[in-house]
Amino acid sequence: MQLSVKPSNLPSTQTSCLVLAIFDDQSLSRLAKQIDRKSGGQLSKILKRNDFKAKVGETLVLHDLNATQIERCLILGLGTRDKFDPDACVSALSGLANASRQLTIKKLNVDLDGLKPKGRDESWLASKIAECFSDVFYQYLDMKGNKKNRAVQTLQRIELMGADKQLKALRRGAKLGQALAIGKSAAKDLGNAPSNICTPNYLAKQARSLARRYDRITTTILDEKQMEKLGMGAFLSVSKGSDNPGKMIVMQYKGAASNVKPHVIVGKGITFDSGGISLKGGAGMWEMIYDMCGAATVYGTLQTIAEVGPKMNVVAVMAAAENMPSARASKPGDIVTSMSGQTVEILNTDAEGRLVLCDALTYIERFNPETVVDVATLTGACIVALGSQASAIFANDDAVANALIAAGEQTRDRAWRLPIWESYQPQINSAFADMQNIGGKEAGSITAACFLARFTRKYRWAHMDIAGTSFKWAGVKKGSTGRPVALLTEYLLSQEAGSI
Ligand code: BES
Ligand code: MN
Ligand code: ZN
């Protein structure tokens, strides 16, 4: 969807649909007043009937207002003026996007004159409009057989209209929002692709194609032979059970001089998690096509970054493998040596995410990272703890944790911190090896993070468990959510100036 920005004024407002937002005090914007006047008070007359309550996200479509060139006027409720905070704004925008989906229009004009939610600027508003529309209009259609049956979305362009002094910020936000829409959709497409299509090799191909499309992105892909040479025994213990070989996919965005330390993001890319020999139950096993949502997130984030073009360096790594049971698969009790030299007793082959991640986290030491964030659908326990509202954050550095939480608050792609105190560490001590890959019944998300903490002592690091936030397993909106691309993008852009 294209977004453009222009001044809000009546003479040039010839449109198939104009959006006018109103609070429940029914006061009209400058443009709304002009339209009301021109139409002989038609607008205020309808509002006075009080059928339209202006609740947050409520909409009303008026056709052919008298004496104007506006085919449809879409009135959008914003609720009470003093309660118009970022969350209310997002709800209103979702209502607007859903109502727009029902209309057969190519272009939408949105009057934003004087409008902004509490504590946010116009740039945020414009960016959220792009993101919300993209979320609501997103459909995963690649797997539909009959291309003719695909629902055609008519809306192609949104024109944001504001007062002159708002235009610069609106333009900046529109650009960021469009970049985010592109990156988030890419993450959703990868997440939703089934595992017979989306294999580690498919992810590698997508990464190569990204590098072809963006000058500042380069890709390096390690195959199993190279990983063996590097001593990545933990990663390979997962991929060896599958006929689809694992890949360590490294994508680099170079926006600053090569001596500027990069921020590194690492994603869990289990393209299907059957559990391996510790096989999962059949019910709902299909959901494990989403076990590569961490990888999809870092891919989508890097694409967003490349679209925005900040002067910084970012490395994104997808640790891609399939977790399958086979005669070659790892078995409970097996002990392997990770790239770090530390040995791991695999007591449950279904705790595979930490095994592929730990070698990726050792590998990226070579980039001398400024900060490292890994993103993973790591534990079912995380869904029990936080549900689908917040991603979990674990960190060995308060500034990194706080910057991620702040980025989540800013974007409403929220996250919440959980502890990784040393006192949890004994839960993953092993009698035979340096550690074991499960920590017992208690605090499953924390012990998983504690496992990763043993591989990230050399740099400032945070781990995000996105098991509850990155996909929805049922309902109309079933599928990958594109979270936390917005949070991570905001985090990285906030680091451009080297602020932490
Ligand atoms: N990919 C799963 C975690 C998961 C479960 C993500 C449900 C999204 C939805 C992970 O590999 C896993 O199987 N974890 C186990 C760990 C256990 C064996 C210690 C779990 O959470 O049960
Ligand atoms: Mn698993
Ligand atoms: Zn998994």
Side-chain angles (χ1 to χ4, degrees):
M1 202 146 347
Q2 286 298 108
L3 239 77
S4 56
V5 174
K6 68 171 205 176
S8 173
N9 57 27
L10 188 56
S12 57
T13 308
Q14 182 194 25
T15 171
S16 48
C17 186
L18 171 68
V19 179
L20 296 174
I22 338 195
F23 290 105
D24 59 8
D25 61 10
Q26 295 198 350
S27 61
L28 300 179
S29 71
R30 207 164 45 93
L31 181 63
K33 272 184 200 144
Q34 286 175 20
I35 291 167
D36 192 38
R37 225 173 291 133
K38 211 166 175 207
S39 65
Q42 205 181 357
L43 209 54
S44 43
K45 191 171 138 198
I46 292 168
L47 288 174
K48 251 186 225 130
R49 286 188 191 142
N50 251 335
D51 290 350
F52 181 76
K53 305 282 189 292
K55 288 198 190 116
V56 176
E58 191 183 351
T59 55
L60 175 71
V61 182
L62 308 174
H63 286 265
D64 302 316
L65 282 182
N66 294 339
T68 67
Q69 291 175 296
I70 302 161
E71 285 176 18
R72 302 170 188 77
C73 202
L74 197 163
I75 315 285
L76 173 66
L78 299 179
T80 306
R81 194 180 286 272
D82 331 321
K83 290 192 184 144
F84 191 59
D85 59 13
D87 287 334
C89 182
V90 170
S91 304
L93 291 176
S94 300
L96 171 61
N98 277 305
S100 311
R101 270 190 86 178
Q102 315 302 321
L103 306 175
T104 48
I105 49 171
K106 284 197 174 130
K107 195 181 85 173
L108 190 69
N109 284 71
V110 188
D111 176 36
L112 299 172
D113 190 355
L115 194 71
K116 59 179 174 185
K118 267 194 211 162
R120 296 289 188 278
D121 62 5
E122 284 89 350
S123 159
W124 185 90
L125 179 60
S127 164
K128 266 290 169 241
I129 291 175
E131 196 187 341
C132 268
F133 270 81
S134 168
D135 280 338
V136 168
F137 278 69
Y138 176 83
Q139 287 179 292
Y140 182 62
L141 297 170
D142 292 0
M143 300 298 136
K144 295 280 187 196
N146 189 345
K147 311 231 148 123
K148 276 190 200 144
N149 281 350
R150 293 177 180 190
V152 185
Q153 222 60 79
T154 56
L155 188 62
Q156 284 164 4
R157 211 149 77 85
I158 302 175
E159 224 164 50
L160 305 179
M161 302 166 26
D164 289 343
K165 62 172 198 289
Q166 294 179 295
L167 299 183
K168 210 170 141 196
L170 285 175
R171 286 205 179 96
R172 196 173 61 232
K175 188 184 161 201
L176 174 63
Q178 271 180 286
L180 200 52
I182 291 169
K184 248 179 121 169
S185 301
K188 288 180 203 171
D189 284 345
L190 288 181
N192 287 331
S195 76
N196 59 328
I197 306 283
C198 182
T199 59
N201 194 41
Y202 177 87
L203 288 176
K205 277 191 194 152
Q206 298 302 309
R208 276 195 218 100
S209 131
L210 198 67
R212 276 196 297 277
R213 280 176 285 152
Y214 295 90
D215 286 349
R216 289 178 172 182
I217 295 182
T218 56
T219 317
T220 318
I221 291 145
L222 306 182
D223 60 20
E224 290 191 349
K225 242 194 201 145
Q226 291 164 293
M227 287 193 269
E228 225 169 288
K229 272 200 198 128
L230 288 162
M232 292 186 177
F235 181 103
L236 292 165
S237 76
V238 176
S239 63
K240 73 178 194 174
S242 168
D243 286 349
N244 289 310
K247 306 273 177 201
M248 188 70 78
I249 304 160
V250 183
M251 300 171 284
Q252 286 180 267
Y253 167 83
K254 293 170 183 164
S258 58
N259 62 351
V260 176
K261 287 171 146 197
H263 291 273
V264 178
I265 50 180
V266 178
K268 170 177 173 182
I270 299 297
T271 56
F272 190 76
D273 179 13
S274 69
I277 296 295
S278 315
L279 195 64
K280 286 183 184 293
M285 193 202 268
W286 72 270
E287 283 169 23
M288 288 301 113
I289 66 164
Y290 294 114
D291 213 19
M292 35 59 69
C293 279
T297 297
V298 304
Y299 179 98
T301 302
L302 201 74
Q303 182 165 15
T304 309
I305 289 292
E307 285 282 334
V308 176
K311 292 187 181 65
M312 67 189 301
N313 294 324
V314 180
V315 180
V317 178
M318 300 194 279
E322 197 178 55
N323 187 22
M324 294 293 280
S326 81
R328 285 185 310 277
S330 290
K331 302 168 291 294
D334 287 0
I335 295 177
V336 296
T337 305
S338 67
M339 186 181 176
S340 72
Q342 300 177 93
T343 57
V344 182
E345 185 181 14
I346 302 172
L347 289 180
N348 187 323
T349 64
D350 198 9
E352 84 298 338
R354 62 201 81 180
L355 297 173
V356 297
L357 286 172
C358 71
D359 279 343
L361 289 166
T362 302
Y363 177 77
I364 53 101
E365 282 173 10
R366 68 190 53 211
F367 297 112
N368 190 19
E370 183 67 45
T371 70
V372 178
V373 181
D374 79 72
V375 205
T377 46
L378 205 60
T379 61
C382 185
I383 312 176
V384 177
L386 294 173
S388 56
Q389 299 302 312
S391 306
I393 292 182
F394 307 82
N396 65 11
D397 184 281
D398 291 343
V400 175
N402 291 339
L404 286 168
I405 292 166
E409 289 299 318
Q410 177 68 13
T411 53
R412 315 319 279 169
D413 181 357
R414 293 159 106 178
W416 198 252
R417 191 173 181 184
L418 294 173
I420 42 169
W421 297 317
E422 272 306 309
S423 51
Y424 286 106
Q425 283 289 351
Q427 285 185 244
I428 53 167
N429 285 346
S430 152
F432 292 169
D434 295 335
M435 68 194 89
Q436 57 190 40
N437 76 331
I438 51 171
K441 262 194 239 148
E442 293 177 11
S445 304
I446 294 176
T447 51
C450 284
F451 182 97
L452 299 177
R454 294 190 182 203
F455 297 85
T456 56
R457 296 205 174 102
K458 295 191 177 145
Y459 45 72
R460 295 197 294 163
W461 157 81
H463 155 62
M464 292 185 68
D465 198 328
I466 58 168
T469 51
S470 55
F471 66 96
K472 292 197 172 97
W473 44 91
V476 224
K477 278 268 161 189
K478 161 184 155 174
S480 176
T481 61
R483 288 179 70 181
V485 171
L487 179 154
L488 267 191
T489 302
E490 178 76 20
Y491 166 78
L492 290 171
L493 293 177
S494 75
Q495 305 309 311
E496 186 185 358
S499 54
I500 64 169

